[in-house]
Amino acid sequence: MDTTTAAVSGLVLALFGGVLLLWCAAEVRLRHRVRLRGVPTVATVVAENDAHGQLDSAPLLSFSVLPQAAGADGSGAAGRIAELVLTRPRGHTPLRRPERFAPGTPVRICYDPDRPCRAVLAVGEAGRTAVVDLLWSVLGTACLLAGAGLLAAVGR
């Protein structure tokens, strides 16, 4: 392999692997934090009219968000009604949408009270997220190592 091609290939692979590992770590941390500190609730899977949305493996969820707690001056939650949120859960990446996410099905989730559109499936609903996270991490590590190996071979 030409030295320039090997150097560029090694740089691209190492960069891709490093970014993929950082992204995996950030997603796992975010989902873990939302599951620990988030507000648990039950969402309903919504039927989608958009053809592109039907192809997405993550279901479209609808749930009500409770109003924020009253502020120090007594204003805040008084007189407010709950908002309806439509969002897709983070970290759900199977190739096809499972049958258990049919429209109208209730699903347990946790959402971030500061950003309700940031929702994750509850632990029992999540399925094999650890396996998927591990596979993405292995792919990132393999790309990083292959890139580093190519760069080391060019340096000799």
Side-chain angles (χ1 to χ4, degrees), residues 39-41 63-69 77 80-85 111 113 116:
V39 177
T41 190
F63 59 96
S64 296
V65 176
L66 300 174
Q68 292 291 329
R80 290 186 57 197
I81 51 176
E83 297 177 34
L84 186 66
V85 177
Y111 70 89

Side-chain angles (χ1 to χ4, degrees), residues 31 35 89-94 98 100-101 107-109 120-133:
R31 284 182 279 145
R35 282 190 183 110
R90 304 278 302 236
H92 189 266
T93 56
R100 65 185 176 160
F101 294 131
V107 178
R108 291 179 302 127
I109 64 166
V120 296
L121 295 174
V123 175
E125 303 283 346
R128 297 185 229 156
T129 57
V131 174
V132 173
D133 291 338

